[in-house]
Amino acid sequence: MQKFEAIESRYAILPVDNVDTDQIIPARFLKTISKDGLGDQLFFDWRYEADGSPKPDFVLNTPEAKQCKVLVAGDNFGCGSSREHAPWALTQYGFRAVVSTSFADIFKNNSLKNGLLPIAVPADVHKELMAAAGAVKVNLASQTLTLESGKAVEFAIDAFSKACLLEGVDELGFVLKHEEAIQAYEAMNPPALDTRLVNA
Amino acid sequence: MSRPKTIIEKLWDAHVVAQPEGAPAFLWIDLHLVHEVTSPQAFAGLRARGIKVRRPDLTLGTCDHSTPTTPRDLPIIDPIAAAQVAQFETNCTEFGIPHFGFKNDKQGIVHVIGPENGATQPGMTVVCGDSHTATHGAFGALAFGIGTSEVEMVLATQCLLQRKSKTFNVRVEGLLGNGVTAKDIILALIARIGVGGGTGCVIEYTGSAIRALTMEQRMTVCNMSIEGGARAGLIAPDDKTYEFLAGRTLAPKGAAWDAAVAKWRTLPTDEGATYDKEIFIDASALEPMITFGTNPGQGVAVTQAIPDPGSVADAVERETLKKALAYMGLESGRPLLGRKVDVVFIGSCTNSRMSDLRAAAAILKGRKVNPSVRTMVVPGSMQIKREAEAEGLDQIFRDAGAEWREAGCSMCIAMNGDQLKPGEYSVSTSNRNFEGRQGKGGRTFLASPETAAASALAGAVADVRTLLG
Ligand code: SF4
């Protein structure tokens, strides 16, 4: 995973609550067996007309949006399916952080593993961000989000995910180092089943 | 005596492998289910690292999402879907994972085949790269959906990095009225708490109305826990659970069975244990539910009017509701009852098991679906398909003018060619009414199999209670 550096960027506003992962990337694009090429499919059905032309009023189709590394969206962002294609698509488009009042659990987990920072802010800060497009600074080390007004808010992130993002650590590599603990558990807990007997 | 614990805490405590300083717990996974859509990149990751699947004996695969529901002797026409299904079978074979490929006679929806084969058992941790994994919670298992990076982690280590969730007691008491089902319980809950209401929580469903449900109905309830934002949802095991499991292919046998049941009996929440959150639902006050919007929380009783965005105080919330109604082409202030529909879909991991098919067949028997409606019945697995055919349900559906198809996710996610056309309305027994979920531009009303069958007959959203007399 790429290291997460401090960001200073304009942000794009998506003023919709409960944005689900079917909107972030529609299911028909999940037939791929690779992780690539998903940025073009981000918000596809909100972004493009039936004939494939971009919808001019959708936020990601404005020239400014192309420069935005931060997306500000309504409450409960990323609900619905567990598809990791959602953060893959967001990062491939160019986003490094999403700001909302809250995030769906699986989306949040998936994002943190892909260098996409979910930033949950209080309702008043969220309102200020939603009111007009502007720029923000994101500092992960100090866990602060600084608004254009100069207002700085602290955001929460668990220490482990933070360290992984800052150092670009790979979680699987970390777990593989604890082979002994896994073996000890395995030895103490006989399996409840053997799936290989399923076709017996 | 130690502090009283909920079943959720008991399951957690029994599966912590390690708790390294400054890291989340390593949670042991007893059963890992895989399907073709969320696993290819995980297998590619294993290959790139040169590692094997640690416990193929605790892993079970099936193809379902991209899998056509047309006769199995026909090829998969969509080349991208065909490649994905083929890759899935190659991956499972290469890594030694038992699996049901496209032509396997046990193939089916991942959350249907687990319980059906006795793989899902009480006390287990179950994961799958799929958000509806909570279905398996009906057996008293801690079961939840994970992303593809986590699929790779579990394939490689049989462990997952996890943080403890909050506990949420959803207590449902009382008798369900005629025509009111398990699906209506869960739709009513989500309408109350909203699609983010369970975020950060594992739900335990308790109360007399839950205990009264069959195992299949319990799966319907647990299945949609994610639609309320919950990490997982479960129900403590009881004699019904053991009866369902006894004799299934992967369930323990003989002395091992007795030992397992004795262990399972210690799982239910201790007297006096407390939860972080609680909610109470009066089952006797529930009516058949239906969704009108573009998330599963936007639901009302079938006789109730669609809410007015004008009455919503918060601006973004108001706009979100307006946007949903605009997408759905609906006006507020009136019920959905009588609204014309184009398609009725009976299937999905929420409602595609034998009891769902029987319930729909009981309503369709000797009647004809409205000729303007395309009615699709899609069994959850090939085993269910055969069982339904042995009972003659397929004939009832066909005689009524419905399609009887092969097993798979089908029009729940519209990845396999089964889909709505833009603008079409469907009543669906699946779990998601998100924009485009059943096909680009399609509009979904979620409801029970009973409501779906009644709507197929009427050609419009119907109240099944009028058919029950
Ligand atoms: S039936 Fe629908 S919800 Fe269930 S696993 Fe398949 S796509 Fe997902």
Side-chain angles (χ1 to χ4, degrees):
Chain A
M1 189 170 69
Q2 196 188 339
K3 279 188 188 175
F4 192 95
E5 315 280 354
I7 305 171
E8 190 168 351
S9 164
R10 292 188 61 80
Y11 55 84
I13 302 175
L14 188 60
V16 185
D17 286 340
N18 304 312
V19 172
D20 58 80
T21 52
D22 273 84
Q23 306 320 310
I24 299 173
I25 181 154
R28 62 183 182 279
F29 299 122
L30 309 187
K31 286 181 266 186
T32 176
I33 55 169
S34 98
K35 289 185 188 180
D36 303 326
L38 302 171
D40 294 338
Q41 295 157 351
L42 178 68
F43 288 114
F44 195 92
D45 292 345
W46 287 358
R47 212 164 133 195
Y48 298 104
E49 304 283 4
D51 67 4
S53 60
K55 293 185 185 175
D57 55 343
F58 185 64
V59 57
L60 295 194
N61 291 328
T62 59
E64 302 84 61
K66 304 271 173 331
Q67 319 310 324
C68 293
K69 294 195 173 106
V70 178
L71 178 68
V72 177
D75 302 342
N76 190 37
F77 187 83
C79 62
S81 113
S82 65
R83 61 191 71 166
E84 202 158 317
H85 310 67
W88 293 337
L90 284 159
T91 51
Q92 285 170 26
Y93 178 89
F95 290 119
R96 301 305 313 276
V98 184
V99 181
S100 173
T101 52
S102 59
F103 295 91
D105 290 328
I106 308 178
F107 175 80
K108 187 167 126 187
N109 276 341
N110 285 341
S111 296
L112 290 167
K113 290 177 171 59
N114 288 281
L116 180 69
L117 183 63
I119 304 177
V121 295
D124 60 320
V125 176
H126 189 246
K127 267 215 170 89
E128 186 177 331
L129 285 164
M130 285 286 223
V136 285
K137 287 183 205 164
V138 178
N139 188 321
L140 176 57
S142 65
Q143 295 178 223
T144 47
L145 175 75
T146 310
L147 279 58
E148 202 146 54
S149 63
K151 184 193 274 184
V153 280
E154 229 174 271
F155 57 84
I157 180 169
D158 72 278
F160 181 75
S161 300
K162 179 179 171 178
C164 288
L165 280 170
L166 284 173
E167 291 155 32
V169 164
D170 153 41
E171 291 188 6
L172 177 50
F174 171 79
V175 174
L176 285 169
K177 282 187 207 140
H178 290 76
E179 176 60 26
E180 266 177 39
I182 302 175
Q183 275 184 19
Y185 184 95
E186 244 171 347
M188 294 286 293
N189 295 275
L193 83 172
D194 182 347
T195 54
R196 293 169 302 186
L197 304 174
V198 80
N199 280 317
Chain B
M1 205 193 117
S2 58
R3 184 180 63 84
K5 285 195 216 170
T6 63
I7 179 172
I8 302 165
E9 293 166 282
K10 293 183 194 184
L11 286 168
W12 175 271
D13 292 348
H15 290 88
V16 175
V17 169
Q19 178 71 76
E21 186 72 27
F26 288 21
L27 204 65
W28 179 260
I29 302 305
D30 294 311
L31 175 64
H32 183 195
L33 300 163
V34 288
H35 65 77
E36 76 273 31
V37 174
T38 54
S39 66
Q41 298 86 350
F43 284 110
L46 292 185
R47 265 187 216 108
R49 290 173 197 262
I51 33 189
K52 291 198 181 90
V53 171
R54 184 181 185 97
R55 297 296 299 265
D57 59 323
L58 303 182
T59 313
L60 181 60
T62 188
C63 53
D64 52 5
H65 285 66
S66 308
T67 305
T69 54
T70 41
R72 289 291 141 88
D73 45 7
L74 300 177
I76 304 179
I77 296 166
D78 175 353
I80 310 175
Q84 189 174 54
V85 170
Q87 185 64 49
F88 170 76
E89 297 189 27
T90 304
N91 288 339
C92 288
T93 306
E94 179 183 329
F95 288 93
I97 295 171
H99 63 282
F100 306 144
F102 180 52
K103 296 203 171 171
N104 190 292
D105 66 358
K106 290 183 173 177
Q107 175 273 341
I109 304 172
V110 67
H111 308 308
V112 173
I113 59 108
E116 179 172 81
N117 291 287
T120 307
Q121 296 169 21
M124 281 184 163
T125 44
V126 181
V127 297
C128 174
D130 193 284
S131 60
H132 292 96
T133 308
T135 313
H136 308 267
F139 291 80
L142 182 61
F144 51 92
I146 57 177
T148 297
S149 299
E150 293 176 314
V151 170
E152 185 180 346
M153 167 92 73
V154 178
L155 289 173
T157 68
Q158 205 60 30
C159 292
L160 203 58
L161 289 173
Q162 275 296 300
R163 292 164 197 90
K164 218 173 185 167
S165 299
K166 293 201 181 79
T167 56
F168 188 175
N169 180 10
V170 173
R171 192 162 64 87
V172 193
E173 302 279 0
L175 282 179
L176 288 173
N178 212 7
V180 187
T181 69
K183 182 67 166 281
D184 302 305
I185 295 179
I186 190 67
L187 285 173
L189 171 72
I190 303 160
R192 256 185 65 192
I193 67 172
V195 287
T199 302
C201 298
V202 173
I203 294 174
E204 180 183 355
Y205 300 95
T206 65
S208 59
I210 299 295
R211 296 260 74 90
L213 298 177
T214 64
M215 287 313 293
E216 297 196 351
Q217 293 166 336
R218 292 178 188 183
M219 286 189 249
T220 299
V221 171
C222 290
N223 173 274
M224 287 188 73
S225 303
I226 182 74
E227 309 314 337
R231 195 85 184 87
L234 55 78
I235 294 170
D238 58 15
D239 287 341
K240 284 188 195 171
T241 319
Y242 314 141
E243 227 166 83
F244 180 100
L245 270 172
R248 292 198 184 248
T249 312
L250 296 175
K253 307 272 151 48
W257 168 261
D258 297 334
V261 173
K263 203 170 143 201
W264 296 340
R265 287 196 194 280
T266 67
L267 287 169
T269 294
D270 297 331
E271 183 93 26
T274 55
Y275 299 81
D276 297 309
K277 248 172 126 170
E278 284 187 300
I279 194 172
F280 170 74
I281 289 182
D282 177 3
S284 66
L286 296 180
E287 293 188 62
M289 295 287 296
I290 193 153
T291 64
F292 58 87
T294 54
N295 77 48
Q298 293 172 323
V300 288
V302 71
T303 52
Q304 206 182 338
I306 298 168
D308 174 13
S311 64
V312 177
D314 179 79
V316 179
E317 210 177 298
R318 186 169 54 242
E319 287 312 308
T320 304
L321 178 55
K322 270 194 197 162
K323 187 174 183 295
L325 294 181
Y327 178 86
M328 295 297 290
L330 296 173
E331 281 163 42
S332 58
R334 277 190 306 179
L336 277 180
L337 211 55
R339 176 101 210 173
K340 198 182 158 313
V341 298
D342 306 293
V343 172
V344 166
F345 169 65
I346 298 170
S348 90
C349 57
T350 316
N351 287 116
S352 65
R353 288 169 285 265
M354 277 309 291
S355 55
D356 302 311
L357 302 182
R358 286 189 192 119
I363 288 160
L364 296 176
K365 188 170 184 170
R367 298 181 166 118
K368 291 275 181 210
V369 305
N370 188 296
S372 67
V373 177
R374 177 185 184 195
T375 305
M376 297 172 69
V377 187
V378 183
S381 73
M382 294 308 276
Q383 295 196 75
I384 291 173
K385 180 168 188 267
R386 285 189 296 276
E387 195 180 338
E389 287 171 355
E391 266 182 34
L393 301 186
D394 60 322
Q395 207 49 54
I396 296 175
F397 293 129
R398 285 203 185 95
D399 290 346
E403 295 169 37
W404 173 246
R405 301 181 72 96
E406 309 290 303
C409 296
S410 183
M411 211 192 268
C412 172
I413 191 163
M415 285 182 71
N416 72 336
D418 301 342
Q419 60 188 58
L420 296 177
K421 296 189 191 81
E424 278 188 337
Y425 288 96
S426 78
V427 174
S428 288
T429 66
S430 49
N431 44 51
R432 282 185 177 147
N433 51 353
F434 297 146
E435 286 183 28
R437 171 75 178 190
Q438 294 196 282
K440 190 172 172 171
R443 295 147 160 177
T444 304
F445 304 134
L446 300 174
S448 68
E450 287 83 342
T451 298
S455 302
L457 295 174
V461 174
D463 186 340
V464 64
R465 292 172 298 187
T466 58
L467 293 174
L468 300 173

